[in-house]
Amino acid sequence: MIEVLGVHKSFGSLEVLRGVSLNVAAGEVVVVLGPSGSGKSTLLRTINHLEKVDRGFITIDGALIGYQRRGGKLHELKEREILKQRKDIGFVFQNFNLFPHLTALENIAEVADPVQARHFLERVGLVDKADAYPRQLSGGQQQRVAIARALATQPKVVLFDEPTSALDPELVGEVLDVLRDLARSGTTMVVVTHEIGFAREVADRIVFMDDGVIVEEGTPDEVLDHPVHERTRAFLSKVL
Amino acid sequence: MTSSGTLTLVSTKDDDLSSLPVVPARHPWRWVGVAFVLVLAAQFVHGLVTNPAWDWPTFARYFTAQSILTAVGTTIVLTVLGTVLGFALGIVVAVLRMSKSPFLSAVGWTYIWAFRSIPLIVQLLFWFNISYLYQRLSLGIPFGPEFVSFETIALISPMGAAVLGLALHQAAYAAEIVRSGVISVDRGQLEAAAALGIPRFRQFRRIVLPQAMRSILPNAANEVISLFKGTSVVSVMAIGELFYQVQVIYGRNARVVALLMVATVWYIILTTLLSIGQHYVERYFARGDRR
């Protein structure tokens, strides 16, 4: 479903991604772990073209993201085309990024009709908060609305960029519950997170990144309990 | 020494302070300040009422005179046109200024630079005298044939020149106010809108502008009010707005103070109405901020 091939990305002289390749099958849940600054978030942001790549390419369901192949060249797509492609790629931000001047329902209704919007709100268990503004909601509730909004464009894949990192500890559980439900319902998901317990329970595959490359990947059992690489072991010893 | 001794005594003898009444700190100097200001205010009001030089009968005679009301109308028309055209053009200039194209951005910057550099009164006199510079204006292909041609003096009336000058001047300031509002919106908002695939124009209209309005409004209200009083500058072009009209009248009857008060009170009333309007518009755009 998602194919990332040989992606390089630099910010100025700092090379954040140094040749990353990743395949995610339809319905698969991939959790990306790694220390901060390892390039996890940047990888996620290149998948929906919030960041342009310097080299390599990304496809979703066979469609090249952000570019069009014509002749022997990759032509950058017009913004309008890229915006259209993004409807296939849900994105959930660390800081929710709900629109503060719109109610929970209106946030979702920006990209879906009101009846559907209510349905998506129901799916994250917040239909009674439809008319609340983001400021009136707890962090956990805000993130659940943000997830409903990401689902409202009916994406083929959903990307989560540290969805629980901005939350108070007691609010993490309700957001992870929603992610669990989504995973069970067969949604194709890539989740960047520091929640190792969640990764072990829900991930079909765990990818460990460090210093702009994928160091190792495998089932939760392989990566978390029998890591091959020294860097993975060092990271896990700090977070477990 | 004594006070610390007392403290120790209290805490050892009686640990429970929760039952003691709390005495708020006193601020006697604040009351002195209040009394001082009240005396000054009373003196001022006393002067207004008792000093015959204020000439209230003349004030009353002219305050709602037909010529004054017409002039107030002209002032309002100038303000409304200056604001609407100024902000419409200002939004365009702000968009240019924020464009990713260096050329368009430079065009926006240059516009703001030029119109902020020229004093309004100088600019107004230029427009008023434009027909000395260009006697005819025409529409056609640049450097090619003309289709239609007008006498400049017929096309740009003094009122037209005033509106043009005020709007062009206002646009430069409006552009910076709009830009300041747009850059005050959190980057994450644009990223979220982009990630959802919301089309570009809709992003601006539905997501950015309503949030930018919160910081645009107080500044914009300042500008409107300042423009409203600034319309008095067009009196140099002999346009019958409020300030020009009172000048004409006191030129005739020499009741300078009374007529200046007529203008002053009208300016105060209309500014008050604008301020009240500002309050309600701001409240509307703050709706997501309620708890």
Side-chain angles (χ1 to χ4, degrees):
Chain A
M1 179 61 78
I2 308 177
E3 189 188 11
V4 176
L5 204 80
V7 163
H8 288 253
K9 172 73 188 177
S10 298
F11 293 116
S13 60
L14 181 70
E15 197 171 21
V16 192
L17 297 178
R18 303 188 296 142
V20 175
S21 298
L22 176 71
N23 275 297
V24 181
E28 195 181 15
V29 177
V30 171
V31 168
V32 184
L33 298 178
S36 50
S38 57
K40 315 177 296 274
S41 289
T42 308
L43 173 65
L44 218 56
R45 290 163 62 87
T46 58
I47 295 178
N48 77 342
H49 208 69
L50 275 182
E51 303 287 355
K52 274 185 223 173
V53 301
D54 299 332
R55 204 133 53 84
F57 67 88
I58 290 143
T59 67
I60 303 275
D61 204 8
L64 196 57
I65 297 299
Y67 300 92
Q68 190 180 32
R69 189 178 172 162
R70 269 206 316 268
K73 288 176 184 161
L74 289 184
H75 294 266
E76 197 179 356
L77 287 177
K78 288 228 189 317
E79 192 171 350
R80 187 181 313 170
E81 301 297 321
I82 295 170
L83 287 168
K84 232 179 263 169
Q85 288 188 327
R86 290 213 184 102
K87 295 207 178 273
D88 287 339
I89 315 168
F91 199 99
V92 174
F93 295 86
Q94 182 176 349
N95 296 316
F96 332 134
N97 288 342
L98 289 179
F99 305 132
H101 59 300
L102 301 177
T103 62
L105 190 68
E106 287 167 345
N107 260 275
I108 303 168
E110 274 300 306
V111 285
D113 71 66
V115 180
Q116 274 185 319
R118 201 166 275 279
H119 159 77
F120 284 109
L121 213 46
E122 212 164 313
R123 202 160 157 193
V124 296
L126 283 173
V127 105
D128 55 322
K129 297 287 185 189
D131 297 324
Y133 286 99
R135 271 195 66 152
Q136 299 162 330
L137 300 173
S138 74
Q141 291 170 332
Q142 288 188 49
Q143 190 61 299
R144 282 152 67 195
V145 174
I147 293 171
R149 188 178 67 175
L151 297 174
T153 59
Q154 320 239 353
K156 294 174 179 166
V157 304
V158 187
L159 313 175
F160 296 85
D161 187 7
E162 306 201 23
T164 59
S165 295
L167 297 176
D168 291 337
E170 78 271 22
L171 302 176
V172 168
E174 59 182 275
V175 171
L176 292 184
D177 284 343
V178 171
L179 262 65
R180 242 177 239 119
D181 278 351
L182 282 177
R184 255 184 240 127
S185 72
T187 313
T188 309
M189 294 162 60
V190 180
V191 187
V192 170
T193 185
H194 294 290
E195 299 288 333
I196 306 289
F198 170 78
R200 183 190 300 278
E201 178 196 348
V202 176
D204 295 311
R205 188 149 50 99
I206 291 182
V207 170
F208 176 73
M209 281 184 76
D210 193 11
D211 205 15
V213 292
I214 291 177
V215 176
E216 68 177 286
E217 57 183 300
T219 63
D221 180 59
E222 287 165 358
V223 176
L224 296 178
D225 299 326
H226 307 94
V228 181
H229 209 284
E230 183 50 42
R231 280 196 277 179
T232 318
R233 258 179 254 150
F235 172 75
L236 289 173
S237 73
K238 277 181 220 148
V239 296
L240 279 178
Chain B
M1 284 311 283
T2 355
S3 67
S4 73
T6 321
L7 269 176
T8 327
L9 212 70
V10 168
S11 59
T12 48
K13 250 191 171 175
D14 179 13
D15 269 339
D16 184 19
L17 302 181
S18 60
S19 60
L20 301 180
V22 174
V23 182
R26 308 241 185 248
H27 303 282
W29 283 105
R30 285 188 196 167
W31 290 105
V32 175
V34 169
F36 181 72
V37 172
L38 282 178
V39 169
L40 280 185
Q43 277 187 305
F44 179 66
V45 172
H46 178 79
L48 281 183
V49 176
T50 56
N51 185 346
W54 286 105
D55 195 4
W56 293 112
T58 307
F59 172 89
R61 194 161 67 246
Y62 281 105
F63 186 64
T64 52
Q66 188 54 49
S67 60
I68 292 290
L69 292 183
T70 311
V72 169
T74 306
T75 293
I76 292 173
V77 167
L78 283 171
T79 308
V80 169
L81 288 178
T83 302
V84 171
L85 297 175
F87 271 84
L89 181 59
I91 290 173
V92 174
V93 174
V95 169
L96 287 176
R97 174 89 169 78
M98 291 183 289
S99 164
K100 279 180 195 155
S101 148
F103 177 77
L104 293 181
S105 173
V107 170
W109 186 89
T110 307
Y111 181 93
I112 294 165
W113 167 77
F115 281 90
R116 284 201 308 200
S117 305
I118 307 169
L120 177 57
I121 190 162
V122 175
Q123 207 220 124
L124 285 169
L125 289 172
F126 261 116
W127 289 112
F128 191 56
N129 295 306
I130 188 79
S131 52
Y132 288 118
L133 220 51
Y134 299 99
Q135 270 125 29
R136 303 188 69 76
L137 294 178
S138 57
L139 272 177
I141 296 167
F143 306 108
E146 295 175 358
F147 301 139
V148 263
S149 167
F150 311 91
E151 291 259 357
T152 307
I153 211 155
L155 192 69
I156 302 182
S157 65
M159 187 69 178
V163 169
L164 198 60
L166 290 173
L168 291 175
H169 175 81
Q170 201 52 43
Y173 291 90
E176 285 294 86
I177 290 172
V178 170
R179 191 171 71 91
S180 81
V182 170
I183 58 183
S184 76
V185 176
D186 181 37
R187 247 184 77 85
Q189 293 290 311
L190 276 178
E191 284 196 343
L196 289 165
I198 297 173
R200 191 69 192 273
F201 183 70
R202 198 177 148 86
Q203 283 183 24
F204 186 74
R205 193 174 54 84
R206 294 275 308 164
I207 309 300
V208 177
L209 206 55
Q211 296 185 60
M213 283 308 271
R214 294 214 55 200
S215 55
I216 288 177
L217 274 170
N219 294 322
N222 255 353
E223 279 301 311
V224 175
I225 288 169
S226 138
L227 173 68
F228 166 61
K229 289 172 298 170
T231 54
S232 54
V233 169
V234 310
S235 60
V236 297
M237 296 154 80
I239 290 169
E241 48 73 52
L242 184 54
F243 186 59
Y244 179 79
Q245 196 58 45
V246 300
Q247 281 180 307
V248 167
I249 297 174
Y250 71 58
R252 232 168 28 221
N253 66 9
R255 309 285 179 119
V256 178
V257 171
L259 278 149
L260 285 179
M261 277 311 282
V262 168
T264 305
V265 172
W266 272 114
Y267 283 125
I268 289 174
I269 289 174
L270 292 168
T271 302
T272 307
L273 292 179
L274 282 172
S275 304
I276 293 170
Q278 175 189 2
H279 170 78
Y280 284 101
V281 179
E282 277 185 24
R283 203 171 66 171
Y284 170 78
F285 280 102
R287 63 197 184 281
D289 218 27
R290 286 199 295 265
R291 276 270 176 195

